[in-house]
Every structure is written in structure tokens, then in C-alpha cells.
Amino acid sequence: MTVSIPSPLTSDADWWRSAVVYQVYVRSFADSDGDGIGDLHGIRERLPYLRELGVDALWLTPFYTSPMVDGGYDVADYRDVDPMFGNLADFEAMITDAHALGLRIIVDIVPNHTSDQHPWFTAALAAAPGSPERARYLFADGKGDDGAQPPNDWESIFGGPAWTRVPDGQWYLHLFDPAQPDLNWRHPEVRAEFEDILRFWLDRGVDGFRIDVAHGMIKAEGLPDVGFNSMTTGRRQSELLGKGRLPYFDQDEVHDIYRAWRPILDSYPGGRMAVAEAWAETPQRLARYIGPDELHQAFSFDFLDATWSADSFRKVIDTALAESTIVGAPTTWVLSNHDRQRHVTRYGDGEIGLRRARAAALLMLALPGCAYLYQGEELGLPEVLDLPDELRQDPAFLRTGESRDGCRVPIPWSGELAPYGFGPAGSELSWLPAPTTWRALSVAAQTGTPGSTLELYRAALRIRHTHPTLADLGGITWLESGPGVLAFQREAGDTVLTCAVNISDAPVVIDGYGTPLVASATLTERDGGHLLPVDSAVWFERH
Ligand code: GLC
């Protein structure tokens, strides 16, 4: 079966179609001033590492002025850099160097909510119910005789009610933390403000935006109840994310916003793009965010959610490629990000998890489309599961007991002692502690080490960039393979690249696909073919 993707465009403006984008969680990437917190100058110093790794672009999580209640996804000033991360001049120096190295920069934009410290929200709190200041947010009167009940049954994604009452008796909506009040996107000033913010960063040379909670900005008219929540039935509304309809997500009107944004992006040269972090009921509804008059990409989290089984991967890949054919835009493959448990751990942790994660990387990087890597996955970092509770900073932890801190531990760069070169020489600080096992996983420890995960990523990315079969979008052809084995080909002229992944419970002999180019585990010769161990992947080349 052949699944093809339309018109493999590779001109500069279409760079994002087959790019490998590396997500930098700014706070945890590299600390240049020794305060234990990553910063923009730290990124700038490490650009050569990223260049050598072989990625095309970086996506930077929010570095704007913020009280950091939600790791910077609570923005108080959208046009400035938080002093913790540096200043605008540092941003400009970083992007200039990145561009000189051929690396593009995507920044995060957080339009669904501001920080409660944003001047608009402090003004709204100081103003009276019904005032123009309150109209930029979603204030409402409560239910019951004295208005002491929230306006509806909506639940915060971080747990608990999505409404908080202010001293004069009104309530305001926050789909996330109370420190992240939702904006009213039916208000023209809100729309105008964000269009201006886009231009502010486009003028500073950014190549794209990752749109946070891109499905959330419009809420159903009348703010209707969902009908259940964890307080009433014990069932959390967030269970419906990606599976069902909620009155506060994926409303049709949200698309008007992106139809207004696209001409702004298109008015700048060089292919400025936007990728949505969006959750919708079906892949079809997710695909509606993508198109020539809306956004360029939407993350497909189905690949990340696939379980470690050949059937599960095959299904997700086929669905994603079929969707991308319909919308004429490439799939975005993601295995990990700053919100989800790292895939080494999801796949079983320890040695097994790492073997599988390495195989998954070769699977992902052989697929057509754009791949998003999360910092540290190239080192095979696992989730840190045993962080002391008092160090955890994720606001969701206090409300639900679930914490995303374990995937946000600072990157180990070098040396014998934690934090392993995260800061300048001699610095012992890091905002979350790295486990002692990470000494062996540092960039320095893995560089030049045959068989290391870092060298595996480097090799795979080098081939991805230079191999004719992987250089454009092309399509894939599934091959007949035994149970638990995934095998597909990509072709260019006479050259064929075959990717095979063994997810069965026994080694398999793979024969007839040519010479191995890169493998996630050691192959041995057997019966004239190659023996592919359990939980491993290989790329072959044949002419
Ligand atoms: C997105 C971000 C997440 C953040 C939330 C609220 O899901 O990825 O980190 O907590 O939005 O802004």
C-alpha cells in the first residue's frame, strides 16, 4: 500500500514541511549566568551543538515577562523577555547567531490567557463589574441566590473549578491555573493586540509560532454546562480532550482568528509558519486548523499516544498520512514534549524503555513530514520520577497530584557532578536536581561514543538531510512483514530506503533490503540476512 503526500515542495518558504524542530524548554536548557535557570544567552552559546546535531529549527517555550506560575505560560508582558531569561538584546543576538548557522527560530505564543499580573487583568480587577476593563476577560455572575455558585460546571485542566470569585462577587474564567485568566476573544481589542504581538516578533525575525491552546480561545455562547465534572460525578472533563466535544474547546469560530493571522504571516518573507497545539474530537476536526488560509501545522499527538505495538503505530501512521494528504500539509511527528512523560519512561523505563525509545526515533525520522524533538531525547533521558514533592513547581501538582516537572529537569552537558555543566564552570545550582545516573548521559559523555543515543540521533539526522529518499516529502510503501514487525520503504529514482522496526518478542531476520545505514541496536549476520533484535530499528539502503 502506498500513501503519498501531495507536491513535495522544498523551496525555502516551505522549509517547515520536512523540518526537524528541536524544542528548547528555555528554563532547563543551558544556564549562562549561574543562577540555576536556563536563559537565552545559554541557548546562544549552545547553538553550535544544535547545528551539529542536525536540526533545522528551534521552538523556544515562553521566555516573556512572567511570574512563572505555569513555567512562563502565564505571560505578563508579551513584548519583553523575563529578566530571569535575559533581555530583548539577548534575544536579538541569539536569533542573529541562529540564522547565521542556518537554524530557524519558532517562539511560543500564549493567546488563550494572560497572567493575572498582566496590566489588563490588574485593571480588570480594579474596575467594576460590567466595565470595559472586565470585558477583555470572561467575568460572569455566579449562580444561586447570592451568586455563590460558579457560573457553570466547567473544570480547569489543572483540576478544580475553572472559575475563581473576586471580592465584589463576580467570577472569572481560567481554564488553567487561577493565575491564568482566559481572555475574551470576541473582544476586538484582544484580537488587535495579538495581531500586533505577532508583528512584534515577526519584525524581530522569528520564523514561526507555536500556538498554545490553539483550540481554546472561543467559548460557546451562553457558557453552557458540560453536564459532569470530577466534583459531581468523579469524571474529569479533561478526559474528553482529543476524544469528545467541550463547550470551551474547538468551537468553529476559533478559525476566524487564524484566518486573520495567516495574511500577517504571509506578508513577511521567508516562509513564516505557525503550528497549533490543538486538541479536537477527531483527526478530521484537527485538520481544520491547517490549510492555506489558516495554520501550517497542528501537532498530531496520536503518535505520542501510540502504545508500544506494531498495530498501534501502523494505525496512527496511516491515519496521520491520510489526513495530511487531504489537507495538503505534512504530518508533525512528536514523541515527547514538556507536558508529557518522556518516552523512554512511557515505553517501559530503564534499559527496555531506552531501547524502544531509540527504535522509535528511527521510526519517526524515516517518516515523511516534520519531526519535533524534545530537548534531551537525543540523550535518551528518562523521566525523573523521584523528584522531592517540595521541589515540584508544576501548578497542576497541587491541584491534581500529577506533575510535569519530571520531564523538565535541566539538561546534563558535561562533568562528574550535578548539575553536569548546566551552568557555567563551578556553578552548583539548577532549579530541579538531575539524578546521579545522568552523569553517563551527558552530552560530553555521549559525544563520539559509538552506540550512544546522541550519536544515533546525529547519524540519523545526517542521513535524513542528505539521503535522496528522505530529503523530500515523498510517500511510504508498507512491506509485508511478520507479526510485530513494521517495515516500509521510501524511494527516490533507483534508491530505496527501508525502515524496519521489530516490536515482536523475538529477533527477526531481515533480508534483501541492501546495506544497513544506521541501527538502534547491534545487528548480526544470519542466514545471509541481518538479525534485528527485539525492540530495535534499522534503516537499509538499496540501489
Ligand atoms: C499548554 C502548554 C502547557 C501549559 C498550558 C497552559 O498545554 O503546553 O505547558 O501549562 O498550555 O498554558
Side-chain angles (χ1 to χ4, degrees), residues 6-176:
S7 59
L9 300 168
T10 48
S11 71
D12 210 30
D14 286 311
W15 63 272
W16 46 273
R17 286 182 178 263
S18 56
V20 176
V21 183
Y22 183 97
Q23 180 189 353
V24 175
Y25 192 74
V26 178
R27 204 177 179 190
S28 304
F29 187 65
D31 166 22
S32 70
D33 57 8
D35 63 357
I37 297 168
D39 46 49
L40 295 177
H41 189 68
I43 300 172
R44 185 179 176 206
E45 290 178 329
R46 303 290 183 175
L47 291 171
Y49 165 75
L50 296 168
R51 175 76 213 152
E52 209 194 313
L53 177 61
V55 300
D56 304 291
L58 315 185
W59 148 30
L60 271 47
T61 53
F63 48 79
Y64 317 109
T65 314
S66 164
M68 298 296 282
V69 171
D70 184 20
Y73 283 95
D74 47 322
V75 181
D77 183 349
Y78 289 85
R79 296 182 187 78
D80 207 352
V81 173
D82 194 280
M84 172 187 283
F85 299 128
N87 55 36
L88 270 178
D90 293 332
F91 179 82
E92 281 166 15
M94 188 272 305
I95 196 169
T96 304
D97 282 11
H99 284 166
L101 288 169
L103 293 166
R104 298 185 196 251
I105 300 290
I106 296 172
V107 297
D108 225 306
I109 180 139
V110 189
N112 179 67
H113 43 263
T114 68
S115 157
D116 63 351
Q117 302 303 309
H118 190 286
W120 276 6
F121 194 71
T122 48
L125 284 188
S131 60
E133 287 82 358
R134 288 214 173 166
R136 296 187 195 114
Y137 291 89
L138 294 160
F139 279 85
D141 294 327
K143 281 190 181 158
D145 289 345
D146 51 1
Q149 306 297 317
N152 65 22
D153 67 359
W154 295 2
E155 194 169 26
S156 156
I157 301 299
F158 292 163
W163 296 91
T164 288
R165 201 170 193 194
V166 300
D168 59 41
Q170 275 210 313
W171 299 74
Y172 69 89
L173 180 72
H174 51 85
L175 292 180
F176 294 87

Side-chain angles (χ1 to χ4, degrees), residues 501-534:
V501 192
N502 182 5
I503 310 185
S504 75
D505 50 16
V508 287
V509 177
I510 310 257
D511 191 12
Y513 299 133
T515 322
L517 290 178
V518 60
S520 69
T522 308
L523 303 180
T524 42
E525 306 262 336
R526 175 76 64 90
D527 303 333
H530 292 91
L531 196 65
L532 184 62
V534 172

